[in-house]
Each structure stands twice: as structure tokens, then as C-alpha cells.
Amino acid sequence: GEWIGEMTGELVPLSTYKDNKWVVEFVRSDIEPPTAVCQLYCGQVGNCFRLLNHDCRPSALLVPLKVSSRWIMGIQAKQDIFDGSEITIRYGRDFFGE
């Protein structure tokens, strides 16, 4: 449950990038029902978290989070992650077209 970091990139309008492997939809949980409001594009700019690999049983989660009146895409540990272990996330059900 510990916070590992924050995924960074360029905020762009929804549907700017279709079928792009470097895009995460930013879903705001404070809007009912939870609604995607923009995309976080990590293809050209971002930090090390943009390189996280997919796993069907990931060790971490992407969590939209409000911090000091600003929204971020946080990375939260889902299980114990030991030194030298890979941090993985789940890209989503349709990421590989399956």
C-alpha cells in the first residue's frame, strides 16, 4: 500500500492518441460516475515510471490521486516489492487487443 512515485508526461485532450501504447487515460474518481477527463501521454516526456512493464498479476497499481488540489497519476505498491525486483503494472484488459 505504500506510494512508490508518480507517473509524469504530457496532459492532452481525450482521444488525442488512439491505440497508442504510451497513453494512460486519466479517470477522475471524484466525478460520479468516474470519468476519463484527459490522457497522460508518456511517449516523448516523462520519468522512469513510464517504462513500467505489464503483468497480469502486477506488483503495483496506477491510481489517480488528488494532492494539494492537483491531480497526479500515483504508483502504489500492491504487494511487497524487494530490492532488485521489477515493479509491474497492469496496462488494462484491451491493451494487447485481447
Side-chain angles (χ1 to χ4, degrees):
E2 291 186 35
W3 294 102
I4 300 169
E6 157 186 10
M7 184 177 283
T8 62
E10 176 186 2
L11 288 177
V12 296
L14 282 175
S15 301
T16 299
Y17 295 100
K18 296 179 193 280
D19 300 325
N20 189 302
K21 308 241 184 272
W22 290 99
V23 172
V24 175
E25 281 198 347
F26 206 101
V27 178
R28 297 242 328 242
S29 59
D30 64 327
I31 299 172
E32 196 55 47
T35 304
V37 294
C38 64
Q39 295 177 321
L40 180 63
Y41 175 61
C42 304
Q44 298 296 320
V45 295
N47 59 9
C48 63
F49 293 109
R50 73 188 183 120
L51 303 174
L52 292 175
N53 283 324
H54 167 83
D55 194 314
C56 290
R57 290 178 286 150
S59 59
L61 303 169
L62 282 175
V63 181
L65 180 66
K66 191 171 187 177
V67 177
S68 299
S69 74
R70 190 181 125 216
W71 283 88
I72 66 167
M73 186 64 75
I75 311 291
Q76 183 179 32
K78 186 177 173 184
Q79 63 192 40
D80 289 338
I81 303 171
F82 300 100
D83 288 344
S85 297
E86 181 178 23
I87 300 170
T88 58
I89 58 174
R90 185 178 173 132
Y91 289 167
R93 294 186 69 132
D94 298 326
F95 183 78
F96 295 105
E98 300 170 2

